[in-house]
Amino acid sequence: MNDNNTFKIGIIGFGPKGFYGFERLVAYLNEAKISKTTEVHIFNNTAFLASGDVYRTDQPDYLIMNYANRNINSWVLKEPFSMASATPDFVTWLTAKGHTDAAQGEYAPRAVVGSYLADCYQLVLEQLPTNIKVITHIGKVTDMIKQNENYQVFYTDRKSGEQDVVACNNILFTTGHHSFKAQKPESVISNHKIDFIYPTDEKLSPVTPQSLVAIKGFGLTAIDAILALTEGRGAIFKKNDKGVLRYISSEKEPYKIYTFSRTGLPMVPRNGSPTSETTLQFFTKEVVQHLKANTPINFNSTLLPLIKKEFYYAFYSVLFNNNGHQFYYDDDFTVMQNQVQYFHEDYPESPVFNWETIVNPFKDEHILSSVVLQVYIGFLIDEAKLGEDKSPFMAAVATWRKISPIFNELYSFGGLDAESHKEFDTYYFGLFNRLSYGPPVKNMQKILALCKAGILDFSYAKSASITPNSENNNFTIQVEKGQATEINYLINATIARAKESGFGNELYQNLSKNGLIREFENTGYIPGCLEINDKGNPISKIGIVNNDITFYGTPTEGITCDNDTLSRTRNDFATNWAKSTTEAIKEKDGRTEDYDRTENVL
């Protein structure tokens, strides 16, 4: 039971987001000069605190970021300032540690980023006031129930396998992708079907050399899986005299790896250069403020035309500049189109902007071949090497990274109409991720080398189906009304997101059953996430806002958009949580008389 002299706080999930919440909490407690004994109970599935599973420090170095060094910073320079004795950004930390890949535009191994995050956590712990006690629980949280003024958190200890319970006054949930992943009993997962690839050394170990493997997905996780089965097994990539990568086998990799996905398309790679300084002209904050007054918004009729114009403007700004011309913005879009028409009359060989060619160049082709995709990947590599300042194509696809934070304001809390919300979740979210948040160029060069070596095969990239063979635990991959191949292993390399209706995770199912959360519904569309207010507090089954509980990061996906794992600013519910938790401690200690914690009913 919880005693009256100690305020107990729970942080469930302690990757980067959990650490960010902890750092803000300590800063606010210090500013408020809280002397009351405060316990912070940290619950995490593994011992990789602050780094979490994504940036765990024991993963191989060939698993690298898709986020350049310059963009990584665990700290926020705002009051109350952190108690840490130092607050180095990632590049400063790399330089101090003597890393050779400390350049701003380099892509570091994810394990190195994990070490940085772990060090940042230690910097906060070293300055912790004596009245703040941190207690770590390594294990899986399965349930939480309210008992009087406390919340009983049930977890299974990872080492002993025993269940224990901790009573907390206040809870922050930062459970990452586990929020949406149904945890199946190990006994029902076949060694021939791998549902989750991390940690790769462990999860992909059943795959035998010279076997046939199918990988569902062609995003960042799929690339990790492909590299783990090749480079991770002793093979090497070596540059020839022309700088082109050549794959040298270790004889321990699969005989063939088949990728398949809905579009069959790879992600657009990036070269690490900073985002261009071209400003948005159509999808501006002023336009958004006007649109917000007229929600819900239809994506296709209202927002997509603005996005297409931004892509168009970025494309031609670079193309004009490459030819010594200036592309002028005009409120009348036809004036800009006339500029383009005159330009193409003077430069008929120049590429022409085409939305469909950019977002889905093989839309009308039912089946893709390895040859076609090899050529396309080669094109993407060449464009990425040019960068946003020289490649009209790269300038266009990079535009979404600028639009995304503004779009989030319109998307969040049911800002889109139900039909648009569903279409964005199921189609456009993946499309824009593929265009704008792709891997480093060197990883796509490895993918091309594997294709040329015959290891990676795109024969089933698009329009493929998988059926299990009950006699031998194998599977058959087949193109609709076309060729088929029996494969030995099926690997799911897609990352779970909120899916329409229902929570897939045991903890969230129990939170719902206990009435602590309810599903968010947007006029008939249920994206599969919980309902929260604009501070991250959940709405209970009977419609009451619970100020004692806050959700932050991936668990809010579907009601917010694109919760960047490392961002300190995107959908920042941690700061408000830290502030309100501090106020709750002061209130319980009798130091505030006017603090209003009245619960709202929705």
Side-chain angles (χ1 to χ4, degrees):
M1 293 297 293
N2 200 6
D3 65 78
N4 290 326
N5 296 321
T6 302
F7 194 93
K8 295 189 178 182
I9 300 163
I11 301 179
I12 300 176
F14 205 74
K17 296 293 194 196
F19 164 62
Y20 297 164
F22 175 75
E23 184 276 322
R24 285 292 81 197
L25 175 68
V26 173
Y28 272 99
L29 291 177
N30 179 60
E31 180 192 50
K33 296 181 170 57
I34 298 291
S35 57
K36 185 181 185 70
T37 300
T38 304
E39 289 182 0
V40 182
H41 290 263
I42 290 172
F43 301 87
N44 201 55
N45 282 332
T46 69
F48 296 98
L49 301 180
S51 60
D53 286 347
V54 175
Y55 306 103
R56 54 190 291 162
T57 54
D58 66 340
Q59 60 190 309
D61 283 349
Y62 58 79
L63 298 180
I64 62 175
M65 299 292 296
N66 71 321
Y67 206 47
N69 293 346
R70 68 166 59 82
N71 298 318
I72 301 172
N73 191 349
S74 286
W75 309 99
V76 283
L77 294 177
K78 65 179 182 181
E79 295 181 340
F81 296 116
S82 177
M83 285 200 66
S85 56
T87 55
D89 62 33
F90 186 51
V91 171
T92 302
W93 179 87
L94 284 171
T95 303
K97 293 286 183 179
H99 283 272
T100 56
D101 55 354
Q104 297 269 351
E106 285 291 321
Y107 293 92
R110 289 209 293 271
V112 174
V113 176
S115 295
Y116 166 67
L117 290 162
D119 272 10
C120 292
Y121 176 45
Q122 289 302 316
L123 287 169
V124 177
L125 288 180
E126 287 166 6
Q127 302 297 320
L128 211 58
T130 55
N131 64 301
I132 301 176
K133 312 294 183 186
V134 175
I135 302 162
T136 302
H137 310 276
I138 305 302
K140 176 182 165 188
V141 176
T142 56
D143 201 356
M144 186 176 83
I145 60 173
K146 186 170 185 180
Q147 188 174 80
N148 300 320
E149 296 302 310
N150 299 325
Y151 296 87
Q152 305 290 317
V153 179
F154 295 85
Y155 73 98
T156 304
D157 185 88
R158 186 178 181 89
K159 190 172 286 185
S160 69
E162 295 179 0
Q163 190 176 73
D164 205 348
V165 60
V166 176
C168 296
N169 302 96
N170 185 289
I171 307 284
L172 176 67
F173 282 87
T174 64
T175 49
H177 291 292
H178 290 284
S179 315
F180 302 130
K181 188 170 284 294
Q183 283 127 7
K184 302 175 185 177
E186 290 296 328
S187 59
V188 303
I189 299 178
S190 161
N191 278 343
H192 288 252
K193 185 175 187 292
I194 299 165
D195 277 321
F196 190 64
I197 74 162
Y198 301 109
T200 54
D201 289 351
E202 174 192 330
K203 298 292 186 180
L204 299 181
S205 61
V207 178
T208 55
Q210 300 304 302
S211 56
L212 297 178
V213 177
I215 295 179
K216 181 182 179 181
F218 201 3
L220 299 173
T221 305
I223 292 173
D224 282 355
I226 291 165
L227 294 181
L229 292 172
T230 53
E231 191 172 8
R233 295 193 168 189
I236 59 173
F237 293 92
K238 192 172 183 180
K239 284 187 179 179
N240 63 17
D241 295 340
K242 296 180 180 178
V244 177
L245 283 187
R246 186 167 62 90
Y247 180 73
I248 301 174
S249 170
S250 68
E251 305 296 333
K252 297 176 183 177
E253 69 275 279
Y255 178 69
K256 278 209 187 296
I257 300 172
Y258 301 97
T259 64
F260 67 100
S261 64
R262 182 175 49 80
T263 65
L265 296 174
M267 299 185 84
V268 177
R270 295 191 274 175
N271 73 356
S273 60
T275 300
S276 73
E277 295 180 2
T278 305
T279 55
L280 297 177
Q281 303 293 340
F282 304 95
F283 211 106
T284 62
K285 290 184 177 180
E286 293 73 25
V287 170
V288 166
Q289 288 305 314
H290 173 72
L291 291 172
K292 283 177 78 172
N294 299 285
T295 56
I297 300 164
N298 183 274
F299 181 82
N300 281 322
S301 64
T302 305
L303 302 183
L304 188 58
L306 298 176
I307 294 169
K308 288 181 177 180
K309 285 179 180 179
E310 290 291 5
F311 274 52
Y312 182 94
Y313 178 72
F315 183 96
Y316 280 113
S317 291
V318 171
L319 187 58
F320 273 49
N321 187 63
N322 286 348
N323 289 277
H325 293 278
Q326 175 78 37
F327 185 47
Y328 294 100
Y329 167 77
D330 197 284
D331 288 336
D332 184 349
F333 191 65
T334 57
V335 172
M336 299 175 70
Q337 289 176 312
N338 288 337
Q339 290 182 64
V340 168
Q341 182 181 339
Y342 296 142
F343 174 86
H344 281 299
E345 288 174 2
D346 291 338
Y347 300 93
E349 301 301 316
S350 290
V352 178
F353 176 85
N354 184 288
W355 172 259
E356 289 298 336
T357 299
I358 288 175
V359 302
N360 197 349
F362 309 113
K363 182 180 179 181
D364 297 327
E365 295 184 34
H366 187 63
I367 297 172
L368 299 178
S369 69
S370 286
V371 173
V372 166
L373 279 178
Q374 269 192 56
V375 172
Y376 181 61
I377 291 171
F379 161 77
L380 294 179
I381 290 169
D382 290 342
E383 295 299 304
K385 284 180 177 178
L386 289 173
E388 296 171 39
D389 291 332
K390 293 296 181 183
S391 162
F393 174 85
M394 292 302 295
V397 299
T399 303
W400 178 253
R401 294 199 289 272
K402 299 175 185 177
I403 294 173
S404 179
I406 307 173
F407 170 78
N408 182 48
E409 294 182 35
L410 298 175
Y411 173 97
S412 295
F413 306 103
L416 302 184
D417 63 51
E419 183 181 354
S420 297
H421 191 170
K422 181 176 182 178
E423 185 175 14
F424 186 85
D425 286 354
T426 55
Y427 177 68
Y428 284 105
F429 181 86
L431 183 152
F432 290 129
N433 265 5
R434 176 169 55 79
L435 295 178
S436 298
Y437 300 111
V441 169
K442 63 180 177 183
N443 269 5
M444 197 54 76
Q445 289 174 318
K446 290 177 180 179
I447 293 298
L448 185 58
L450 283 164
C451 188
K452 289 179 177 178
I455 304 292
L456 193 56
D457 192 304
F458 297 130
S459 301
Y460 300 98
K462 188 178 179 183
S463 306
S465 62
I466 293 278
T467 52
N469 303 341
S470 54
E471 316 87 52
N472 57 8
N473 284 329
N474 285 351
F475 302 85
T476 298
I477 186 169
Q478 182 170 13
V479 177
E480 189 178 335
K481 299 178 182 178
Q483 64 181 15
T485 299
E486 185 171 1
I487 58 163
N488 308 115
Y489 300 94
L490 173 60
I491 297 170
N492 180 9
T494 60
I495 291 293
R497 296 188 68 241
K499 289 197 168 80
E500 194 170 356
S501 297
F503 297 109
N505 173 282
E506 179 186 5
L507 170 60
Y508 283 75
Q509 288 172 352
N510 286 331
L511 292 175
S512 178
K513 183 179 69 177
N514 299 338
L516 293 171
I517 63 173
R518 70 181 184 189
E519 283 193 275
F520 171 64
E521 180 176 350
N522 183 0
T523 324
Y525 171 54
I526 303 175
C529 63
L530 70 158
E531 185 176 358
I532 56 173
N533 67 6
D534 61 3
K535 295 178 181 178
N537 305 127
I539 315 302
S540 74
K541 188 176 182 179
I542 59 174
I544 296 175
V545 177
N546 190 336
N547 295 304
D548 297 327
I549 302 173
T550 301
F551 290 83
Y552 175 39
T554 307
T556 71
E557 198 73 65
I559 195 169
T560 61
C561 184
D562 196 10
N563 290 277
D564 187 318
T565 313
L566 291 176
S567 174
R568 290 290 316 237
T569 57
R570 190 67 171 242
N571 300 314
D572 176 23
F573 299 131
T575 296
N576 182 76
W577 169 76
K579 185 177 181 181
S580 64
T581 302
T582 302
E583 293 293 345
I585 296 172
K586 287 164 64 178
E587 181 186 31
K588 190 168 183 180
D589 208 21
R591 290 176 51 191
T592 59
E593 297 177 358
D594 57 350
Y595 182 65
D596 181 15
R597 289 183 62 79
T598 304
E599 292 183 328
N600 305 304
V601 178
L602 297 184

